[in-house]
Amino acid sequence: MPTSAITIEPLTPTIGATVHGVDLTEPLDEETFRFIYDAWMEHLVLFFHDQPMTPDQHLDFGRRFGDLHIHPAAPYVHGNPELMRIYTDKDSFRNNGERWHSDVSADEEPPMASILHIHQIPTKGGDTCWSNMYAAWDGLSPQMQALLEPLTALHASDYSGQYGDHKPQRESPRAVHPIARTHPVTGRKALFVNSSFTRRIVELPVEESDAILAFLYEHVKNVNFQCRFQWGANSVALWDNRCTQHMAIWDYYPESRSGIRVTIKGDKPF
Ligand code: SIN
Protein backbone atom coordinates (compact mmCIF):
# COMPACT_ATOMS: atom_id res chain seq x y z
CA MET A 1 0.00 0.00 0.00
CA PRO A 2 1.63 3.34 -0.98
CA THR A 3 1.97 5.54 2.11
CA SER A 4 0.85 8.52 -0.01
CA ALA A 5 -2.68 7.03 0.34
CA ILE A 6 -2.50 7.26 4.16
CA THR A 7 -3.42 10.44 6.04
CA ILE A 8 -2.89 11.25 9.70
CA GLU A 9 -5.45 13.61 11.24
CA PRO A 10 -4.50 14.89 14.72
CA LEU A 11 -7.32 15.01 17.29
CA THR A 12 -5.57 17.62 19.41
CA PRO A 13 -2.18 19.36 19.18
CA THR A 14 -1.00 17.32 22.18
CA ILE A 15 -2.19 13.74 21.80
CA GLY A 16 -4.11 11.42 19.48
CA ALA A 17 -4.52 11.13 15.73
CA THR A 18 -6.85 9.28 13.38
CA VAL A 19 -5.26 7.21 10.63
CA HIS A 20 -7.14 7.13 7.33
CA GLY A 21 -6.43 4.86 4.37
CA VAL A 22 -5.16 1.75 6.19
CA ASP A 23 -6.85 -1.66 6.17
CA LEU A 24 -5.90 -3.61 9.30
CA THR A 25 -7.58 -6.77 7.98
CA GLU A 26 -4.67 -7.10 5.53
CA PRO A 27 -1.01 -7.72 6.47
CA LEU A 28 0.88 -4.40 6.49
CA ASP A 29 3.96 -4.10 4.31
CA GLU A 30 7.11 -2.80 5.98
CA GLU A 31 6.81 0.72 4.57
CA THR A 32 3.20 1.09 5.78
CA PHE A 33 4.07 -0.33 9.19
CA ARG A 34 7.00 2.10 9.55
CA PHE A 35 4.77 5.02 8.56
CA ILE A 36 2.19 4.04 11.20
CA TYR A 37 4.92 3.47 13.79
CA ASP A 38 6.41 6.92 13.23
CA ALA A 39 2.97 8.56 13.46
CA TRP A 40 2.37 6.61 16.68
CA MET A 41 5.62 7.88 18.22
CA GLU A 42 4.54 11.43 17.35
CA HIS A 43 0.87 11.26 18.46
CA LEU A 44 1.09 8.54 21.21
CA VAL A 45 -2.39 7.16 20.46
CA LEU A 46 -3.67 6.27 16.99
CA PHE A 47 -7.27 5.60 16.02
CA PHE A 48 -8.53 3.57 13.05
CA HIS A 49 -12.18 3.46 12.02
CA ASP A 50 -14.19 0.67 10.34
CA GLN A 51 -11.73 -2.18 10.84
CA PRO A 52 -13.66 -5.48 10.94
CA MET A 53 -10.56 -7.43 12.08
CA THR A 54 -10.85 -11.07 13.10
CA PRO A 55 -9.13 -12.01 16.39
CA ASP A 56 -6.30 -13.57 14.33
CA GLN A 57 -5.81 -10.35 12.33
CA HIS A 58 -5.82 -8.41 15.61
CA LEU A 59 -3.14 -10.74 17.01
CA ASP A 60 -1.09 -10.40 13.80
CA PHE A 61 -1.24 -6.59 14.01
CA GLY A 62 -0.13 -6.76 17.66
CA ARG A 63 2.79 -9.07 16.86
CA ARG A 64 4.18 -6.49 14.43
CA PHE A 65 5.10 -4.46 17.55
CA GLY A 66 6.54 -7.31 19.64
CA ASP A 67 5.69 -10.34 21.76
CA LEU A 68 2.25 -10.34 23.30
CA HIS A 69 1.51 -9.78 26.97
CA ILE A 70 -0.91 -11.82 29.05
CA HIS A 71 -2.97 -9.99 31.66
CA PRO A 72 -2.49 -11.41 35.18
CA ALA A 73 -6.18 -11.92 35.86
CA ALA A 74 -8.61 -10.61 33.25
CA PRO A 75 -10.93 -12.99 31.38
CA TYR A 76 -10.13 -13.68 27.75
CA VAL A 77 -11.96 -14.88 24.64
CA HIS A 78 -11.58 -17.69 22.07
CA GLY A 79 -9.55 -19.71 24.61
CA ASN A 80 -6.55 -17.42 24.05
CA PRO A 81 -5.24 -15.39 27.03
CA GLU A 82 -3.62 -12.97 24.54
CA LEU A 83 -7.16 -11.81 23.65
CA MET A 84 -8.26 -9.90 26.75
CA ARG A 85 -11.99 -9.47 27.02
CA ILE A 86 -13.33 -5.95 27.46
CA TYR A 87 -16.96 -6.21 28.48
CA THR A 88 -19.40 -4.17 30.52
CA ASP A 89 -23.16 -4.62 30.77
CA LYS A 90 -26.01 -3.90 33.19
CA ASP A 91 -24.85 -6.65 35.55
CA SER A 92 -21.24 -5.43 35.76
CA PHE A 93 -20.19 -4.02 39.11
CA ARG A 94 -17.17 -2.27 37.63
CA ASN A 95 -15.89 -1.14 34.27
CA ASN A 96 -12.42 -2.13 33.06
CA GLY A 97 -10.10 0.84 33.17
CA GLU A 98 -12.48 3.37 34.69
CA ARG A 99 -9.67 5.05 36.66
CA TRP A 100 -6.66 6.73 35.06
CA HIS A 101 -3.93 4.17 34.48
CA SER A 102 -1.18 2.81 32.32
CA ASP A 103 -1.90 -0.87 31.61
CA VAL A 104 -0.55 -3.31 34.22
CA SER A 105 2.13 -0.86 35.39
CA ALA A 106 2.64 -3.18 38.39
CA ASP A 107 4.41 -5.69 36.13
CA GLU A 108 8.21 -5.74 36.43
CA GLU A 109 8.21 -5.12 32.67
CA PRO A 110 4.92 -3.29 32.03
CA PRO A 111 3.30 -3.59 28.60
CA MET A 112 4.60 -1.08 26.07
CA ALA A 113 1.42 -0.88 24.01
CA SER A 114 -2.20 -1.92 23.82
CA ILE A 115 -4.50 -2.34 20.84
CA LEU A 116 -8.20 -2.21 21.63
CA HIS A 117 -10.81 -3.28 19.07
CA ILE A 118 -14.31 -2.30 20.11
CA HIS A 119 -17.08 -4.46 18.61
CA GLN A 120 -20.21 -3.37 20.41
CA ILE A 121 -20.90 0.22 21.37
CA PRO A 122 -23.70 1.77 23.39
CA THR A 123 -26.10 4.15 21.61
CA LYS A 124 -24.31 7.04 23.33
CA GLY A 125 -21.22 7.33 25.52
CA GLY A 126 -18.51 4.80 26.31
CA ASP A 127 -15.73 7.14 25.17
CA THR A 128 -12.13 6.69 26.31
CA CYS A 129 -9.77 9.52 27.33
CA TRP A 130 -5.98 9.49 27.05
CA SER A 131 -3.52 11.83 28.73
CA ASN A 132 0.02 12.63 27.49
CA MET A 133 2.59 11.84 30.21
CA TYR A 134 5.42 13.69 28.40
CA ALA A 135 3.25 16.81 28.66
CA ALA A 136 2.50 15.99 32.30
CA TRP A 137 6.22 15.75 33.07
CA ASP A 138 7.09 18.86 31.05
CA GLY A 139 4.25 20.71 32.79
CA LEU A 140 5.86 20.37 36.24
CA SER A 141 8.10 23.14 37.56
CA PRO A 142 11.87 22.54 37.39
CA GLN A 143 11.82 22.45 41.21
CA MET A 144 9.20 19.67 41.30
CA GLN A 145 11.03 17.77 38.54
CA ALA A 146 14.26 17.97 40.53
CA LEU A 147 12.49 16.57 43.60
CA LEU A 148 10.83 13.70 41.68
CA GLU A 149 13.57 12.72 39.25
CA PRO A 150 15.64 10.54 41.65
CA LEU A 151 12.56 8.93 43.25
CA THR A 152 10.88 5.59 42.62
CA ALA A 153 7.36 4.34 43.32
CA LEU A 154 5.87 1.00 44.23
CA HIS A 155 3.17 -0.23 41.83
CA ALA A 156 0.97 -3.13 42.94
CA SER A 157 -2.24 -4.72 41.78
CA ASP A 158 -4.85 -6.68 43.63
CA TYR A 159 -7.25 -8.41 41.27
CA SER A 160 -8.90 -10.56 43.94
CA GLY A 161 -12.65 -10.57 43.36
CA GLN A 162 -12.45 -8.19 40.39
CA TYR A 163 -13.24 -10.77 37.74
CA GLY A 164 -15.84 -12.90 39.53
CA ASP A 165 -15.26 -16.62 39.16
CA HIS A 166 -12.51 -16.28 36.56
CA LYS A 167 -9.31 -17.96 37.82
CA PRO A 168 -6.30 -15.58 37.55
CA GLN A 169 -3.58 -16.37 35.00
CA ARG A 170 -0.84 -15.60 37.55
CA GLU A 171 -0.23 -13.84 40.86
CA SER A 172 -1.04 -10.13 41.11
CA PRO A 173 2.24 -8.34 40.28
CA ARG A 174 4.13 -5.60 42.14
CA ALA A 175 7.21 -3.68 41.08
CA VAL A 176 9.20 -0.52 41.79
CA HIS A 177 9.63 1.92 38.89
CA PRO A 178 11.13 5.39 38.43
CA ILE A 179 8.60 8.23 38.78
CA ALA A 180 10.06 9.83 35.65
CA ARG A 181 10.77 7.14 33.07
CA THR A 182 12.72 7.65 29.87
CA HIS A 183 10.99 6.48 26.72
CA PRO A 184 13.34 3.96 25.06
CA VAL A 185 12.53 5.15 21.52
CA THR A 186 12.08 8.92 21.81
CA GLY A 187 14.43 9.47 24.77
CA ARG A 188 11.84 11.81 26.33
CA LYS A 189 10.93 11.81 30.03
CA ALA A 190 7.38 10.83 30.97
CA LEU A 191 5.58 10.88 34.32
CA PHE A 192 5.01 7.26 35.37
CA VAL A 193 2.67 7.10 38.37
CA ASN A 194 -1.04 6.36 38.15
CA SER A 195 -3.94 6.17 40.55
CA SER A 196 -4.84 2.56 39.73
CA PHE A 197 -1.52 0.87 40.44
CA THR A 198 0.89 3.22 42.22
CA ARG A 199 0.88 2.68 45.97
CA ARG A 200 3.62 4.90 47.39
CA ILE A 201 6.85 6.75 46.75
CA VAL A 202 9.49 4.46 48.14
CA GLU A 203 11.98 7.05 49.42
CA LEU A 204 9.47 9.30 51.28
CA PRO A 205 7.48 8.97 54.51
CA VAL A 206 3.93 7.84 53.79
CA GLU A 207 2.34 11.26 54.54
CA GLU A 208 4.64 13.02 52.06
CA SER A 209 4.19 10.24 49.52
CA ASP A 210 0.37 10.44 49.80
CA ALA A 211 0.37 14.23 49.36
CA ILE A 212 2.66 14.21 46.33
CA LEU A 213 0.86 11.31 44.64
CA ALA A 214 -2.51 13.04 45.21
CA PHE A 215 -1.09 16.15 43.52
CA LEU A 216 0.30 14.11 40.59
CA TYR A 217 -2.98 12.21 40.09
CA GLU A 218 -4.77 15.57 39.77
CA HIS A 219 -2.03 16.86 37.49
CA VAL A 220 -2.47 14.01 34.93
CA LYS A 221 -6.16 14.95 34.66
CA ASN A 222 -5.29 18.37 33.19
CA VAL A 223 -7.49 18.61 30.08
CA ASN A 224 -4.66 20.29 28.17
CA PHE A 225 -2.82 16.95 28.16
CA GLN A 226 -5.80 14.95 26.90
CA CYS A 227 -7.85 13.70 24.00
CA ARG A 228 -11.23 11.98 24.14
CA PHE A 229 -12.22 9.35 21.56
CA GLN A 230 -15.73 8.44 20.53
CA TRP A 231 -15.76 4.81 19.39
CA GLY A 232 -17.64 3.41 16.43
CA ALA A 233 -18.28 -0.32 16.04
CA ASN A 234 -14.97 -1.71 14.70
CA SER A 235 -12.87 1.25 15.79
CA VAL A 236 -9.34 0.40 16.91
CA ALA A 237 -7.07 2.36 19.26
CA LEU A 238 -3.33 1.76 19.53
CA TRP A 239 -1.69 3.45 22.54
CA ASP A 240 1.75 3.69 24.08
CA ASN A 241 1.63 2.77 27.79
CA ARG A 242 5.12 4.22 28.36
CA CYS A 243 4.00 7.81 27.82
CA THR A 244 0.20 7.86 28.22
CA GLN A 245 -2.53 7.05 30.69
CA HIS A 246 -6.14 6.34 29.82
CA MET A 247 -9.54 6.09 31.39
CA ALA A 248 -12.71 4.40 30.07
CA ILE A 249 -15.92 6.32 30.79
CA TRP A 250 -18.86 4.25 32.06
CA ASP A 251 -21.77 6.55 31.32
CA TYR A 252 -23.95 4.12 29.35
CA TYR A 253 -25.56 1.96 32.04
CA PRO A 254 -27.67 -0.21 31.48
CA GLU A 255 -26.33 -0.65 27.93
CA SER A 256 -23.42 -2.91 26.96
CA ARG A 257 -20.04 -2.26 25.42
CA SER A 258 -17.55 -4.94 24.39
CA GLY A 259 -14.30 -5.55 22.59
CA ILE A 260 -10.95 -7.29 22.68
CA ARG A 261 -7.58 -5.92 23.79
CA VAL A 262 -4.26 -7.24 22.52
CA THR A 263 -1.36 -6.01 24.63
CA ILE A 264 2.33 -5.92 23.73
CA LYS A 265 5.11 -6.73 26.17
CA GLY A 266 7.43 -3.95 27.28
CA ASP A 267 10.73 -3.64 29.09
CA LYS A 268 11.89 -2.53 32.53
CA PRO A 269 11.34 1.24 32.90
CA PHE A 270 14.49 3.29 33.46
C1 SIN B 1 -8.53 -0.54 29.10
O1 SIN B 1 -8.15 0.03 30.10
O2 SIN B 1 -7.78 -1.21 28.39
C2 SIN B 1 -9.97 -0.40 28.65
C3 SIN B 1 -10.16 0.83 27.85
C4 SIN B 1 -11.54 0.95 27.29
O3 SIN B 1 -12.37 0.08 27.51
O4 SIN B 1 -11.79 1.93 26.59
Side-chain angles (χ1 to χ4, degrees):
M1 179 187 301
T3 52
S4 57
I6 306 174
T7 54
I8 307 290
E9 181 189 5
L11 253 74
T12 77
T14 317
I15 182 168
T18 305
V19 182
H20 302 280
V22 168
D23 180 356
L24 297 180
T25 68
E26 296 288 336
L28 300 177
D29 60 58
E30 196 49 39
E31 190 193 355
T32 303
F33 178 73
R34 196 35 56 193
F35 188 83
I36 290 171
Y37 189 91
D38 291 345
W40 181 45
M41 287 299 103
E42 183 177 346
H43 298 284
L44 320 188
V45 190
L46 294 181
F47 304 107
F48 305 81
H49 288 293
D50 303 319
Q51 303 289 338
M53 291 189 296
T54 63
D56 281 339
Q57 289 162 345
H58 191 172
L59 290 164
D60 286 346
F61 183 45
R63 289 194 185 105
R64 293 300 295 267
F65 295 86
D67 292 338
L68 301 184
H69 172 271
I70 292 178
H71 193 279
Y76 47 86
V77 294
H78 304 298
N80 183 348
E82 295 168 334
L83 294 168
M84 178 179 161
R85 178 183 188 234
I86 300 290
Y87 184 80
T88 304
D89 70 9
K90 64 177 178 19
D91 298 320
S92 303
F93 65 92
R94 65 182 285 274
N95 185 36
N96 249 313
E98 64 191 326
R99 290 169 63 193
W100 284 102
H101 67 287
S102 169
D103 290 326
V104 202
S105 70
D107 266 353
E108 199 59 45
E109 297 184 336
M112 73 146 165
S114 303
I115 304 172
L116 179 57
H117 187 203
I118 288 290
H119 306 145
Q120 182 188 13
I121 49 168
T123 47
K124 282 192 188 59
D127 297 355
T128 307
C129 299
W130 280 265
S131 187
N132 177 336
M133 291 302 105
Y134 296 137
W137 179 254
D138 294 345
L140 295 169
S141 66
Q143 290 81 358
M144 182 56 92
Q145 289 181 346
L147 171 72
L148 297 177
E149 189 140 14
L151 302 180
T152 59
L154 172 69
H155 297 234
S157 57
D158 177 10
Y159 293 110
S160 45
Q162 276 197 26
Y163 294 109
D165 295 340
H166 178 75
K167 186 173 162 303
Q169 280 73 255
R170 56 184 159 99
E171 283 201 1
S172 292
R174 51 198 286 132
V176 171
H177 300 307
I179 290 182
R181 74 178 291 184
T182 304
H183 194 287
V185 178
T186 66
R188 295 183 65 187
K189 283 246 183 286
L191 184 64
F192 197 64
V193 290
N194 67 79
S195 57
S196 294
F197 293 109
T198 310
R199 297 288 178 258
R200 63 165 296 175
I201 299 175
V202 174
E203 296 82 1
L204 298 183
V206 70
E207 296 80 4
E208 292 180 13
S209 166
D210 285 351
I212 291 175
L213 288 176
F215 160 72
L216 293 173
Y217 298 157
E218 279 307 304
H219 181 66
V220 306
K221 293 183 198 161
N222 185 327
V223 289
N224 294 317
F225 307 152
Q226 289 180 32
C227 69
R228 176 171 173 152
F229 182 63
Q230 188 176 10
W231 298 88
N234 283 322
S235 298
V236 173
L238 158 68
W239 64 90
D240 189 333
N241 284 300
R242 300 165 294 190
C243 55
T244 67
Q245 291 188 30
H246 58 284
M247 185 205 49
I249 301 172
W250 190 13
D251 56 357
Y252 48 88
Y253 180 87
E255 292 191 51
S256 306
R257 175 180 181 271
S258 69
I260 297 177
R261 193 180 90 193
V262 165
T263 311
I264 295 105
K265 282 184 178 173
D267 40 28
K268 176 82 187 139
F270 59 90

